[in-house]
Amino acid sequence: MAQILDKPRCVLGTLLIAALFSAGCGREEVQVYRVAKDQKAAGSTRQHHPGDGHDHSEDAVPGLAYKLPAKNWEEAPPGEMRAASFRVKGEGNKTADVGVFPLPGMAGSDLSNVNRWRGQVGLPAVQEEELAKLAEAIEIDGSKAQVYDMAGENPGSGEKTRILAAILRKSNVAWFFKMTGDEDFVASEKKNFMSLLASMKFQGAARAASLPPDHPPLGAATGTLPPDHPPIGGAAAAGQAPSGAGENAPKWEVPSGWKEASPGQFLVAKYTISGDGQAQAAVNVSMSTGDGGGVAGNVNRWRRQVGLDEKPVEALGLKKLDVNGGQATLVDLSGTDNRTNQKARIIGAIVERNGETWFYKLMGDVPIVEREQDAFVKFVQSANYPNAPR
Amino acid sequence: MLLDKIIRFFCSLRLTVVCLALGMLLVLVGTLAQVEMGLYKAQNEFFRSFFVFWGPRGADWKIPVMPGGYLVGGLLLINLVASHFKRFRFSRSKAGIWLIHLGLILLLLGQLLTDMLSRESSLHLREGETKNYSVADRQVELAIIDPTDPETDKVVSISQSALRSQSEVRHPELPFTVRIQHWYGNSIVENRATNSAAAPAASHGLGPFATVKELPPVTAMDRRDVPSAIVEFVGSQGSLGTYLVSEYLEQLQPLRTPDKVYQVVLRPRRIYKPFSVQLLDFRHDLYPGTQIPKNFSSRVRLMHPERGEDREVLIYMNNPLRYAGETFYQASFDPDNQGTVLQVVRNPSWLTPYFSCILVGIGLLLQFAIQLFGFTLKRRTA
C-alpha cells in the first residue's frame, strides 16, 4: 500500500522540480517602455525646443552648454552627426551654417582635417610645418583648441566661401566646430563665432568620460565604453578600452627589480619598481593600431600628466633610439604628477611598426626613474615583436 | 514496470553517491578551468549548464563530456526528494534526519532560485546626477528611442540574445523591421578616414566614419567583451540604411523614417526602478600622509514619489542600502573621485541559505540528542 502511495508523491515531487527548472528560462527578447527623459549631472543651460529632434538624454552628445553670441544667431535642428547646429542670418538673405561635430577617437589628424576643409574652398593642401602657423589658439572650457580660417572659391559652385573651423581634442572625443558661408559674411561673424566657442561648456557625461591617466593613446584604434558603463572586475575607471594586443604581446627582457603587475584593461604589460620608502615608479606598455594619435599627440598627453604645457612637435625635444627592426622616438619629461602632486619624471618611447604603434612609459618618483632609465631603454630595445602586421 | 524502474533509479543511494562524486569533480575541473576561461565563462560553462561541452581547438563542433551543474544539482535534488518520500517514514526518532533533509532540499532549491531570480547590475553616478535605472554588467540592448514626446521617451529595447540569435526582429511598436546583418560578440571599432580604402562599417549614422573588426572573446576577469552589430532598418518603402551600433559608440544615432526621427544606440541593458537615486557626495578618504584608502562612501538622496519618500542615505563599505528588494553596495568609483559605482543586487531568495543552515543545524542537534537520550535510556534499563 505504501508502495502505491509513494508513486504519485514521487512523480509529483519530480514534476515540481522540473517545473521550477523550466520557469524563468525565457526572458523577454523585446521590451517596450516609456521613461522620463534622463536627468543630467549638472543643469544644462542648453535651450531645447520640445520635439525638435534634439536629444535630451545624456547619451546624446554629452552635456554641451553655450550662449548664443548675437541676435542673428539661432539654434537649428542638429541633424545627423551634429551635437548642435546654428543658423546665422545676415543682410541680403546671407546665411551661414555652424555645426558642432563630436567624433569618438581622434578622428584623423589636424592636418588631414584642415586639408580637407582647404579643399572645400579650393585652397591647396599644406604641410605639417605650415599648419602651426595657420592655427589660432583659443581656449574652450579650459582646454586648448585651434581655430583655422580658410577662404577661397568653392570648387563645386564657384562661390566665394569661408570656413572657420576649430578642433578640440578632449577626453576621447574630437570636437569640430565649423562655420561655413559667404566669405565676407563669415568674416564679419568671426567675432561671434569666437564668442560662441568661448562660451561652450562640457557638462556631465562629457567630463565623466575622461580617460584614466594610463589609458593607451586613442587614435585610429580605440574607443571607450559609454561613460555610464560601470567598471568590470577590478578596473576602477569609468571609461574603458578593450584589449586587442594581450595575446600578441612582444617578448622582452625584463630588468631585475621590476615586478610584473596586472596590466588591467588598457595595457599590454605593466611593471612596478619600488624605491626608498613608499617611492614607486611604473612601466606601462600599450599598443594601438595605426598611429595611435600620433607622436605629438601622445607626447603632449604625457606632458599633461606631469603638468607641462602642450607644445608643437618641433619643440618637444624628441630623440631617436635604435630598436629591433627600426627606430623609436624617445622623450624625457619632468614635472609634477597630476594625481599625486609629487615630483615625477616620465621617460617614454614610441615604436611604430607594421601599422601598429607601441607605447612604453616609465613614470614615477624622480630618483627611481633616474636609476632605471638605462634599464628601461634596454627593455624597449629588447622587445621582439610578433609577426602580426594588421 | 517502467515507472517503477524510474522511481527506483531516482530513489537509489547509488545515484546520490554518483551525483556527489560528479559534483566534486565538477567543482575541481570548473575551478581549474577558470585559469584559461576566466571566472564568468567557466561559471557559465561548468555550473550554469546541463552539460559541459568540449571540442578540439578551432573546430566548430563540440560534444558533451560531463554533466554540468544544473544536471548534477537537479538530479541530486530529485534524488533527495524522491528517496525521502520513498524511504523515510516520519517517526519521532528520525525527526532530526527529517530536518536535515529538509534543510538540504531548501539549500538546493534556494540556490536554484538564486540562480534563476537574482540579478546583479551597476549604478554609476556622477556627483549631482540622478538616475532611476541601473545597468546590467555584461549584457547590452539595442535601444530604439522615440523622443518626440517632450516629457518622456518611448523605448523599444531588443535584448542581446535576440541580436545574437535572430536575423530579424519585428515589433508592433516599430514601423520598420530590424535586420541584424552581423553580430560581433567582441569587437573593436576604429575611425575611418573619409578617403580610406577600407569599406565603411555601415551606410548611415556613424557607420561611414568607422570600421569594425571582430575580436576573440576575452577571458581575463578584469576585461570584458565589447559587442557591436551591423543592423539594417527596413521600412515599408524599403531600406532606411545600415547602421553600426556598438558599445563603443555612446552617441545616439538618428534614424530617419518618413514620419519621425528615432534614435538608436547599443548600450548596457537598463533596469528601471520606480524610485531614483541622486549622488550628493562621494568621499574617498585616505589615511593621513599616505595613499592608503581608509574609506569609500557615497551620500545619496533616495526619492520615491509614490511612497512620498525623500531621504538621504550614506552607503559605505559593508553598509549597503537595502531598499525595495534590492541591495546597493559601494563597489567602485571614478578616478577623479567625483563619481561612484554602486553594485545593485536583487536576490529574492537571499534568506534561504540562512534558513537551510539553521534547519540542518537544529536537525543535527536534535538527532544527536535523540540518539544520546535513547542510548542512555537503554543503558539505564539494562
Side-chain angles (χ1 to χ4, degrees), chain A residues 7 29 31 33-35 37 55 59 80 104 220-221 224 226-229 232 236 242-243 264-265 267 289, chain B residues 4 116 124 131 147 149 152-153 155 157 159 161 166 189-191 222-224 247-248 250 252 256 268 270 333:
Chain A
K7 272 184 205 163
E29 305 242 296
Q31 286 181 320
Y33 48 83
R34 195 169 265 286
V35 287
K37 291 181 187 290
D55 173 58
D59 288 331
E80 221 158 285
T224 52
D228 260 357
H229 202 284
I232 301 301
S243 73
Q265 181 92 350
L267 302 174
T289 48
Chain B
D4 276 330
M116 288 189 325
H124 175 231
K131 273 188 195 161
D149 186 301
T152 56
D153 284 338
V155 182
S157 151
S159 72
S161 62
Q166 297 181 15
V189 171
E190 299 179 355
N191 283 321
D222 56 352
R223 296 182 176 188
R224 58 186 292 275
E247 231 187 316
Y248 281 117
E250 64 207 52
L252 298 176
R256 292 169 201 289
R270 289 186 177 186
F333 55 96

Side-chain angles (χ1 to χ4, degrees), chain A residues 147-168:
Chain A
V147 180
Y148 299 91
D149 186 345
M150 297 147 283
E153 221 169 67
N154 182 324
S157 63
E159 288 170 1
K160 294 238 176 225
T161 309
R162 182 181 293 270
I163 294 178
L164 288 174
I167 304 176
L168 165 69

Side-chain angles (χ1 to χ4, degrees), chain B residues 160-171:
Chain B
Q160 178 164 337
S161 62
L163 292 170
R164 199 179 49 219
S165 60
Q166 297 181 15
S167 58
E168 213 172 84
V169 175
R170 289 170 206 261
H171 195 275

Side-chain angles (χ1 to χ4, degrees), chain A residues 292-332:
Chain A
V295 169
N298 284 287
V299 172
N300 276 322
R301 187 170 58 83
W302 288 339
R303 291 181 67 87
R304 290 195 300 272
Q305 289 175 9
V306 287
L308 300 176
D309 284 340
E310 292 186 17
K311 282 189 174 174
V313 65
E314 60 276 8
L316 288 174
L318 305 176
K319 289 179 193 156
K320 290 286 170 204
L321 173 73
D322 287 324
V323 292
N324 263 338
Q327 280 202 317
T329 307
L330 197 67
V331 64
D332 189 345

Side-chain angles (χ1 to χ4, degrees), chain B residues 6-208:
Chain B
I6 293 173
I7 289 172
R8 253 205 307 278
F9 171 75
F10 279 119
C11 296
S12 78
L13 191 64
R14 243 179 261 167
L15 182 66
T16 318
V17 175
V18 169
C19 281
L20 287 176
L22 279 173
M24 282 193 273
L25 186 69
L26 195 65
V27 169
L28 179 75
V29 182
T31 309
L32 292 177
Q34 287 173 26
V35 180
E36 287 280 316
M37 291 182 175
L39 175 71
Y40 185 72
K41 198 165 175 229
Q43 261 186 350
N44 278 342
E45 296 210 352
F46 284 82
F47 306 117
R48 289 183 177 150
S49 62
F50 284 92
F51 286 99
V52 179
F53 289 88
W54 175 88
R57 226 171 253 266
D60 54 359
W61 54 268
K62 281 184 173 181
I63 48 165
V65 283
M66 67 183 287
Y70 281 162
L71 189 58
V72 174
L75 276 178
L76 205 58
L77 182 59
I78 294 170
N79 176 244
L80 195 62
V81 174
S83 57
H84 193 83
F85 278 112
K86 186 171 156 67
R87 291 183 207 282
F88 290 91
R89 293 289 155 275
F90 185 76
S91 65
R92 230 184 294 170
S93 63
K94 284 186 178 163
I97 293 186
W98 268 79
L99 281 181
I100 296 168
H101 280 193
L102 202 63
L104 286 176
I105 290 170
L106 196 65
L107 191 69
L108 283 165
L109 276 178
Q111 281 313 105
L112 183 66
L113 286 175
T114 300
D115 203 64
M116 288 189 325
L117 304 178
S118 77
R119 201 165 63 182
E120 283 186 21
S121 56
S122 303
L123 174 58
H124 175 231
L125 287 169
R126 299 286 297 168
E127 282 182 357
E129 193 177 15
T130 307
K131 273 188 195 161
N132 63 342
Y133 62 87
S134 54
V135 297
D137 286 343
R138 288 172 190 268
Q139 274 177 43
V140 291
E141 63 183 3
L142 176 65
I144 302 169
I145 303 163
D146 174 358
T148 40
D149 186 301
E151 297 295 318
T152 56
D153 284 338
K154 187 157 89 181
V155 182
V156 177
S157 151
I158 301 173
S159 72
Q160 178 164 337
S161 62
L163 292 170
R164 199 179 49 219
S165 60
Q166 297 181 15
S167 58
E168 213 172 84
V169 175
R170 289 170 206 261
H171 195 275
E173 290 291 341
L174 294 176
F176 44 77
T177 304
V178 184
R179 278 193 194 142
I180 299 107
Q181 292 193 342
H182 199 106
W183 168 257
Y184 303 87
N186 187 24
S187 61
I188 185 157
V189 171
E190 299 179 355
N191 283 321
R192 177 183 171 275
T194 37
N195 54 357
S196 165
S203 67
H204 283 60
L206 293 167

Side-chain angles (χ1 to χ4, degrees), chain B residues 339-353:
Chain B
T340 190
V341 180
L342 304 174
Q343 191 189 23
V344 185
V345 180
R346 170 184 288 278
N347 181 9
S349 56
W350 68 283
L351 279 173
T352 50

